[in-house]
Amino acid sequence: MATIAFILLCHKDPEAIIQQAQRLTAAGDCMAIHFDANAGAADYAKIRDALADNPRVTFAKRRIKCGWGEWSLVQATLNAVEAAVDAFPRATHFMMVSGDCMAIKSAEYAHEFLDADDCDYVESFDFFESDWIKTGMKDERLIYRHYLNERKHKRLFYWALETQRKLGLKRAIPEDLQIMIGSQWWCLRRRTIEWILDFIRKRPDVMRFFRTTWIPDETFFQTLVRHLVPEGEIRCRTLTFLMFSDYGMPVTFYNDHYDLLLSQDFLFARKISPEATELKERLGDLYSATGVRFKVSNEGRSLYKFLVGRGRIGRRFGQRFWETESTLGRERELLIVVCKKWHVAKRLLGFIKHHMDVPAIEYLFSEEDTLLPDLGGIQASLPKRMRHQRALMRMLFDYFNTNRLIICVDPANIELLRDFAGDRSVTRMLEVECEFSDDFLVGHAMRIGLAGEHTSPETWERLIPTIRYDIVYESDTIRDAEFENHTRLRQSASLDENAASLARFLSIPQDKAREILDADYLFSD
């Protein structure tokens, strides 16, 4: 049976730390604590006194002052790890937690989870190839030396960086290491921890390198685990559920997040609000409970992203200069079927292709596996297609040797529609308006990952009206854009009305359009 040694890095709120240590050790696990030396001696003494009689708690032998982005965070972790290895010889797993973390599963569940798979859990993505770093410095974290804290000495920090850049003082990365990056919230087996401690004793060159990297807590353990452990024994994920806002700030959880947290495929969550006393009490009781069954739907991140993004007006990125200066071609005509029900749009494309010789492609900007010709790799992935959307469309026109092309676009992709509508080519849009039952919206939410089989009824009560409003909002946004050559095909309209709209869209006689639409199952689900 797994026994977890929690590695707790903390710097405030001694009362909460005491409660956390008591809760997590009550079920047979243990804990090593590093309390930041920047904090007051009285707070540290309070923690030590309160936990002095708990044999499952130990403390790092040396406290150090920690600073965000500094090596000190890694050193503090290593100090606590060494204390845990010495004090708890029966610990099978070592798991990083902070004072803002709380368990969202029972100890019984956590132990069974860890016993089920003999592996290490750590996010570790290639530093240079991945897009894990969204903003700020990247290569500079490694190739230059960082002795100052960016938050405490901002001007000196960037002066030192710029001086090294001007003088060409780049340094080499240790040749035998592939630098990896990921979350600092890992869970490692005892064998892996012992390998890491042995490695750092033998490789002072690696230690010198990481001591002057910037934000090494996101690269040190991530790199060493990949270097020392066979790939098949690593799960590239964290067991701590955390989310970040659009501004790069951690999302905080409150009392009404209890059900959402329990349904995520993680053992812990951070950050829990200090004011969420009810949530803390319920999660605290949960860890020592037995016989609890968890229904994991794991929709937390997608649900949060969906709900907080409703009603936004601004956009994050503008067009690139080479996109605004390029064109599909003045003589070309791009026909766009805009529909939320993808199966209806695909069915309509099938009807059109049966009666007309016009190349038609389904949701190429929404579905990874859309059937596309080989265009030299530009079509290989959705991010590439979106980055080079006009170039991709020009190549498709050339490939099919045509001046008319039909594609399908989801109405949520309003920026794509605006881009194509602003091109010098002729762009026609046919918005297909469908009716949406609650059952369809439930299925839609599950298909796109907003919800799962175990999503609670309370969540559905909030989610279904939000999705319905979102669909209406997307349609209103398209109409407000006042696109030229925009027509609508409506499920509630008559065959003659829809035939007139399709005739305008395809520039064909209305009789021909009526023939295309002469099927009573176009809008069937």
Side-chain angles (χ1 to χ4, degrees):
M1 176 67 73
T3 299
I4 306 170
F6 294 104
I7 308 302
L8 175 62
L9 262 59
C10 48
H11 64 280
K12 61 181 180 180
D13 200 350
E15 200 62 51
I17 293 167
I18 294 166
Q19 293 176 9
Q20 187 181 34
Q22 291 171 337
R23 282 193 299 261
L24 293 181
T25 58
D29 294 314
C30 41
M31 177 179 287
I33 299 174
H34 179 279
F35 191 66
D36 194 337
N38 285 307
D43 286 345
Y44 182 56
K46 182 177 181 179
I47 297 169
R48 293 208 65 140
D49 291 345
L51 299 173
D53 296 331
N54 190 332
R56 297 186 179 277
V57 175
T58 190
F59 293 84
K61 293 181 173 60
R62 185 168 66 92
R63 292 170 62 207
I64 61 174
K65 295 182 178 181
C66 297
W68 185 89
E70 295 179 5
W71 167 256
S72 54
L73 285 173
V74 178
Q75 188 62 61
T77 304
L78 289 172
N79 292 352
V81 166
E82 289 171 346
V85 169
D86 292 341
F88 310 121
R90 294 188 178 181
T92 61
H93 294 76
F94 294 74
M95 185 171 184
M96 275 283 294
V97 292
S98 75
D100 295 322
C101 293
M102 287 202 71
I104 56 174
K105 298 290 188 295
S106 64
E108 180 182 65
Y109 180 98
H111 296 156
E112 291 175 357
F113 181 94
L114 294 175
D115 283 336
D117 196 0
D118 184 21
C119 63
D120 297 306
Y121 294 90
V122 57
E123 277 190 354
S124 52
F125 303 97
D126 186 278
F127 185 93
F128 296 101
E129 297 297 327
S130 73
D131 62 348
W132 200 86
I133 298 174
K134 302 298 184 185
T135 59
M137 293 191 301
K138 186 171 183 178
D139 296 13
E140 293 88 347
R141 291 191 186 191
L142 304 178
I143 62 176
Y144 298 115
R145 296 169 179 83
H146 302 277
Y147 299 100
L148 301 167
N149 186 292
E150 190 263 356
R151 292 188 174 181
K152 293 180 181 177
H153 311 287
K154 187 178 289 289
R155 294 180 66 180
L156 284 174
F157 178 91
Y158 287 106
W159 173 84
L161 176 63
E162 187 60 27
T163 299
Q164 292 180 75
R165 186 183 287 123
K166 288 180 178 179
L167 296 177
L169 298 179
K170 290 183 181 180
R171 61 172 176 174
I173 296 169
E175 291 185 359
D176 60 331
L177 292 185
Q178 178 185 6
I179 304 299
M180 311 298 287
I181 191 167
S183 167
Q184 70 182 106
W185 310 108
W186 41 256
C187 179
L188 305 177
R189 295 167 295 175
R190 185 181 195 91
R191 184 187 68 177
T192 302
I193 288 292
E194 290 173 345
W195 284 352
I196 290 173
L197 294 178
D198 184 59
F199 179 87
I200 64 179
R201 284 190 289 267
K202 294 177 179 178
R203 293 293 300 272
D205 61 316
V206 172
M207 297 298 284
R208 284 195 300 272
F209 173 79
F210 277 107
R211 281 193 181 102
T212 52
T213 60
W214 182 235
I215 319 183
D217 54 305
E218 293 179 351
T219 54
F220 180 77
F221 288 97
Q222 297 78 356
T223 298
L224 295 197
V225 172
R226 282 285 175 180
H227 183 72
L228 298 169
V229 179
E231 184 176 358
E233 298 179 21
I234 300 173
R235 304 294 173 263
C236 189
R237 57 162 295 189
T238 175
L239 296 181
T240 300
F241 179 60
L242 66 161
M243 298 189 296
F244 291 91
S245 70
D246 284 354
Y247 305 100
M249 300 300 293
V251 172
T252 301
F253 299 109
Y254 298 93
N255 290 333
D256 57 348
H257 284 123
Y258 180 80
D259 291 330
L260 180 144
L261 291 176
L262 264 60
S263 66
Q264 306 313 307
D265 187 21
F266 296 86
L267 303 184
F268 277 73
R270 71 180 307 267
K271 291 184 164 185
I272 308 298
S273 169
E275 289 79 30
T277 53
E278 179 187 340
L279 178 61
K280 288 184 175 183
E281 289 176 5
R282 296 178 73 183
L283 292 178
D285 294 339
L286 176 69
Y287 193 69
S288 57
T290 58
V292 181
R293 301 295 97 186
F294 296 91
K295 297 179 179 180
V296 176
S297 56
N298 214 34
E299 78 273 22
R301 287 196 176 96
S302 56
L303 188 60
Y304 173 83
K305 182 178 179 181
F306 174 77
L307 292 174
V308 301
R310 301 309 93 200
R312 295 243 176 115
I313 302 301
R315 291 294 184 269
R316 189 183 303 242
F317 299 112
Q319 289 181 323
R320 298 161 180 81
F321 73 92
W322 48 265
E323 290 179 329
T324 57
E325 292 302 317
S326 62
T327 178
L328 305 185
R330 292 180 183 276
E331 73 285 357
R332 286 171 169 168
E333 189 174 25
L334 179 61
L335 308 175
I336 305 176
V337 176
V338 184
C339 185
K340 197 66 180 179
K341 287 189 176 180
W342 293 4
H343 64 281
V344 173
K346 293 176 181 181
R347 194 176 292 148
L348 177 60
L349 250 61
F351 293 169
I352 293 173
K353 287 193 287 186
H354 182 70
H355 290 86
M356 297 178 63
D357 185 22
V358 180
I361 302 172
E362 297 173 355
Y363 287 86
L364 73 164
F365 294 107
S366 299
E367 289 187 302
E368 191 86 50
D369 58 354
T370 299
L371 187 62
L372 291 169
D374 186 354
L375 302 173
I378 193 174
Q379 84 294 339
S381 66
L382 285 175
K384 279 190 176 182
R385 296 175 205 170
M386 290 302 295
R387 277 200 305 272
H388 311 294
Q389 54 206 36
R390 290 198 184 186
L392 174 64
M393 295 310 301
R394 287 199 307 273
M395 295 172 77
L396 286 171
F397 275 107
D398 293 338
Y399 177 86
F400 289 111
N401 192 25
T402 182
N403 283 333
R404 297 189 87 202
L405 183 65
I406 307 175
I407 64 172
C408 295
V409 171
D410 189 284
N413 214 334
I414 183 66
E415 291 305 315
L416 188 72
L417 297 178
R418 286 195 175 109
D419 182 52
F420 287 143
D423 191 77
R424 297 190 185 102
S425 63
V426 176
T427 302
R428 301 185 187 277
M429 297 181 199
L430 179 68
E431 184 183 358
V432 182
E433 290 187 9
C434 303
E435 297 172 0
F436 299 92
S437 66
D438 285 355
D439 287 343
F440 177 86
L441 295 179
V442 167
H444 173 70
M446 295 177 71
R447 282 190 296 274
I448 64 176
L450 284 179
E453 294 180 3
H454 303 299
T455 298
S456 66
E458 294 79 9
T459 300
W460 281 120
E461 287 180 8
R462 297 194 303 270
L463 190 56
I464 289 177
T466 304
I467 297 174
R468 190 180 297 281
Y469 170 79
D470 194 58
I471 293 171
V472 173
Y473 175 78
E474 290 170 356
S475 181
D476 287 345
T477 302
I478 291 173
R479 290 180 210 175
D480 291 342
E482 297 182 345
F483 294 122
E484 190 177 0
N485 303 319
H486 170 241
T487 56
R488 287 186 291 155
L489 200 73
R490 294 178 292 125
Q491 184 171 352
S492 59
S494 67
L495 176 59
D496 286 339
E497 289 174 316
N498 283 337
S501 296
L502 186 64
R504 288 194 297 273
F505 174 65
L506 295 174
S507 301
I508 57 175
Q510 189 162 337
D511 290 345
K512 182 73 170 180
R514 184 186 178 92
E515 184 182 348
I516 293 173
L517 293 174
D518 192 16
D520 57 5
Y521 57 90
L522 172 61
F523 293 97
S524 299
D525 289 334

